[in-house]
């Protein structure tokens, strides 16, 4: 199913797609050289927004769930990528311990079952070790269709983490550690923990990621001779916002004003008639804040109290990112949609459209009521069709999404290197 684009594909996106397709050998060589110097995240997913005049990532997840929405046709790519990832980390690996979120809803458990299936087919024994205090013995959860998932209590020895009669070489987190890293995951001996602890939301900041993305996009833009703004969401950051004490509003106002002014200049440069907006959210992905859409700094008077009311008691939101809003003008059956690109190691392995009938083009679609439609793989998303007109070919559109996803993934690699607490400093 190909999305319907409300915005006619005759402007910057068409030119961008044409530039990317003509530069495929250059792009692939550039990525290849980058991966010789940098280590990709073990797996990741990227939310992409196509405004018709720009195409940009708005969020990069280093602990992606929803693997169950990848279709069977996408499985071979995922298995091959999993093999490549494991071979680089622990070639002799036999056992993989997957540590999930403390959730047992059927949608999340179906995601775990899909991950187990991928790594089993990649040649690994996979078991699930739960951080939840409620899991005191092996517990089986049945899924629709006859499948089941077993969660087991983690066992920590002096220097290793595992399960009863199960000693893994590699531990894969599918838990974003938003509450911080529990001690049971620290100081492991001769075990690979993926992603590393500093990738968790207790430490990670969106502003660090998008700072890295800006640099990557500038270099990519120079490589292709294009304006990096066409693939970049601009942003500002405030580090002194406290909802409990109602302080920091001036920082939000001034940074919102400044960012909106920058976006207006770009809209004027490209003759874009939309009204610019920004999205305000917690820099560490704190769910209590949600997302605030603002078109004028004056709106913050209302938005401020709205956000404060949503903030959970006792939580002061300290750091906030103000991000250029990117419209999504894609539709599936008249509902607003956005592509989500899934990657493992350095490979695009699939994805889906996140669809929400009750949301508008300037709102987050990652909300209750969202549904998921698989990306339509007529051919591999990695293989563009040369000679096709821009916008006319499904693989070409998905190849472009994959390029943006990989730019975000490369930025995450840069981000994790820069924030690694164990890295040597040369300052």
């Amino acid at each position: 199913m190909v999305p319907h684009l409300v915005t006619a594909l005759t402007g910057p996106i068409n030119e961008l797609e044409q530039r990317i397709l003509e530069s495929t050998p250059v792009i692939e060589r550039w990525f290849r050289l980058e991966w010789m110097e940098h280590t990709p995240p073990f797996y990741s997913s990227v939310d992409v927004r196509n405004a018709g005049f720009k195409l940009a990532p708005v969020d990069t997840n280093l602990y992606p769930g929803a693997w169950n929405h990848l279709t069977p046709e996408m499985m071979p790519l995922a298995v091959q990528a999993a093999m490549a990832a494991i071979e680089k980390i622990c070639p002799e690996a036999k056992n993989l311990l997957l540590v999930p979120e403390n959730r047992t809803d059927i949608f999340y458990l179906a995601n775990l079952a899909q991950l187990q299936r991928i790594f089993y087919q990649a040649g690994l024994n996979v078991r699930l070790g739960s951080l939840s205090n409620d899991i005191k013995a092996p517990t089986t959860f049945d899924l629709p269709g006859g499948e089941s998932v077993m969660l087991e209590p983690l066992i920590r020895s002096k220097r290793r983490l595992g399960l009863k009669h199960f000693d893994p070489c590699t531990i894969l987190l599918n838990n974003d550690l938003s509450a911080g890293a529990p001690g049971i995951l620290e100081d492991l001996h001769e075990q690979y923990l993926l992603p590393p602890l500093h990738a968790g939301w207790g430490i990670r900041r969106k502003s660090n990621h998008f700072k890295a993305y800006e640099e990557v996009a500038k270099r990519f833009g120079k490589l292709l001779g294009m304006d990096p703004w066409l693939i970049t969401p601009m942003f500002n950051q405030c580090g002194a916002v406290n909802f409990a004490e109602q302080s920091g509003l001036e920082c939000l106002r001034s940074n919102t004003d400044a960012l909106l002014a920058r976006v207006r200049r770009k809209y004027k440069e490209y003759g874009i008639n939309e009204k610019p907006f920004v999205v305000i959210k917690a820099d560490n992905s704190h769910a209590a804040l949600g997302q605030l859409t603002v078109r004028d700094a004056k709106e913050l008077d209302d938005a401020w109290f709205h956000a404060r009311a949503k903030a959970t008691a006792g939580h002061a939101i300290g750091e906030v990112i103000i991000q250029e809003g990117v419209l999504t003008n894609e539709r599936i059956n008249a509902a607003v949609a956005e592509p989500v690109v899934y990657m493992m190691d350095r490979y695009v392995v699939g994805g889906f459209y996140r669809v929400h009938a009750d949301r508008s083009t300037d709102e987050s679609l990652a909300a209750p009521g969202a549904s998921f439609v698989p990306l339509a793989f007529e051919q591999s998303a990695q293989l563009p069709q040369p000679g096709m007109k821009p916008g006319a070919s499904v693989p070409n559109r998905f190849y472009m999404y994959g390029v943006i996803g990989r730019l975000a993934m490369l930025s995450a690699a840069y981000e994790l290197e820069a924030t690694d607490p164990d890295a040597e400093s040369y300052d």
Side-chain angles (χ1 to χ4, degrees):
M1 186 182 295
V2 183
H4 171 63
L5 286 158
V6 174
T7 303
L9 287 180
T10 54
I13 283 294
N14 245 12
E15 295 163 17
L16 174 62
E17 183 176 319
Q18 189 71 43
R19 186 72 57 90
I20 285 176
L21 293 174
E22 290 171 352
S23 306
T24 297
V26 173
I27 291 169
E28 296 305 323
R29 178 179 182 272
W30 184 77
F31 274 122
R32 188 168 66 247
L33 294 176
E34 286 294 323
W35 296 130
M36 289 173 67
E37 301 292 331
H38 304 282
T39 302
F42 186 85
Y43 56 5
S44 55
S45 68
V46 177
D47 296 352
V48 179
R49 304 276 283 202
N50 188 344
F53 53 84
K54 76 181 291 179
L55 181 74
V58 293
D59 198 24
T60 300
N61 187 354
L62 299 183
Y63 302 87
W67 286 89
N68 50 306
H69 294 301
L70 270 61
T71 63
E73 292 78 13
M74 300 174 190
M75 285 293 284
L77 286 173
V79 171
Q80 290 171 1
M83 287 177 175
I86 291 294
E87 283 169 10
K88 286 196 305 189
I89 296 158
C90 185
E92 71 282 4
K94 182 171 65 172
N95 296 332
L96 175 75
L97 176 62
L98 184 59
V99 179
E101 300 273 357
N102 293 342
R103 293 168 50 191
T104 55
D105 57 274
I106 59 170
F107 301 107
Y108 183 67
L109 293 176
N111 156 69
L112 298 179
Q114 181 84 308
L115 281 171
Q116 276 192 297
R117 193 178 300 114
I118 290 169
F119 291 111
Y120 177 82
Q121 293 182 16
L124 293 164
N125 300 316
V126 188
R127 286 165 68 176
L128 303 175
S130 176
L131 290 165
S132 172
N133 293 327
D134 296 332
I135 303 297
K136 296 179 170 59
T139 306
T140 299
F141 297 87
D142 293 326
L143 297 174
E147 273 192 304
S148 64
V149 169
M150 179 185 287
L151 298 180
E152 301 179 64
L154 290 167
I155 297 174
R156 175 65 193 251
S157 65
K158 186 175 181 181
R159 301 188 71 182
R160 291 178 75 84
L161 183 66
L163 307 173
K164 189 175 182 179
H165 306 309
F166 189 77
D167 185 31
C169 153
T170 303
I171 300 161
L172 178 62
L173 299 177
N174 197 240
N175 183 315
D176 66 13
L177 305 180
S178 55
I184 197 172
L185 298 177
E186 296 177 342
D187 301 319
L188 297 174
H189 180 63
E190 294 182 352
Q191 284 181 308
Y192 295 93
L193 181 67
L194 302 166
L197 291 179
H198 68 281
W201 281 123
I203 298 173
R204 189 179 177 222
R205 296 293 179 267
K206 291 177 182 285
S207 53
N208 287 334
H209 176 73
F210 284 103
K211 180 181 179 183
Y213 184 87
E214 278 188 345
E215 293 306 310
V216 167
K218 282 178 186 175
R219 290 175 46 227
F220 186 79
K222 187 175 181 181
L223 181 76
L224 268 61
M226 52 163 274
D227 182 354
W229 177 76
L230 294 173
I231 58 171
T232 306
M234 297 187 289
F235 75 96
N236 282 338
Q237 194 255 354
C238 279
V241 179
N242 188 311
F243 284 84
E245 298 176 6
Q246 301 184 39
S247 63
L249 182 56
E250 196 49 52
C251 177
L252 270 182
R253 273 207 194 99
S254 61
N255 278 282
T256 297
D257 252 343
L259 185 55
L260 282 168
R262 290 168 63 199
V263 178
R264 283 189 203 101
R265 286 195 291 271
K266 278 296 182 183
Y267 277 26
K268 185 176 181 181
E269 178 184 341
Y270 283 95
I272 296 162
N273 294 321
E274 303 286 348
K275 185 167 184 179
F277 67 100
V278 298
V279 176
I280 299 171
K281 46 193 173 183
D283 204 6
N284 65 347
S285 198
H286 194 295
L289 177 61
Q291 294 191 8
L292 305 175
T293 299
V294 175
R295 287 181 167 76
D296 190 307
K298 294 175 184 175
E299 295 175 17
L300 281 172
D301 290 334
D302 292 330
W304 175 261
F305 293 109
H306 174 66
R308 182 171 173 250
K310 287 179 69 176
T312 53
H315 285 290
I317 311 296
E319 299 163 83
V320 167
I321 184 172
I322 305 129
Q323 191 177 62
E324 174 190 355
V326 182
L327 294 167
T328 179
N329 275 322
E330 305 207 39
R331 299 282 194 283
I332 290 180
N333 296 334
V336 177
E338 65 184 7
V340 184
V341 179
Y342 271 62
M343 292 160 289
M344 192 171 293
D345 194 63
R346 59 193 178 99
Y347 304 103
V348 174
V349 298
F352 50 79
Y353 286 101
R354 184 184 286 118
V355 185
H356 206 303
D358 299 323
R359 291 284 171 127
S360 62
T361 58
D362 61 354
E363 292 183 296
S364 170
L365 306 187
S371 58
F372 306 91
V373 177
L375 291 177
F377 279 121
E378 290 180 358
Q379 297 180 22
S380 166
Q382 291 259 51
L383 300 177
Q385 293 181 339
M388 295 289 288
K389 290 182 180 179
S393 164
V394 173
N396 287 352
R397 178 75 53 77
F398 296 157
Y399 177 73
M400 188 164 66
Y401 293 160
V403 168
I404 299 300
R406 285 185 288 163
L407 289 173
M409 174 172 56
L410 178 60
S411 305
Y414 277 64
E415 170 199 355
L416 292 179
E417 289 171 10
T419 57
D420 185 353
D422 298 322
E424 293 184 33
S425 175
Y426 299 98
D427 295 339

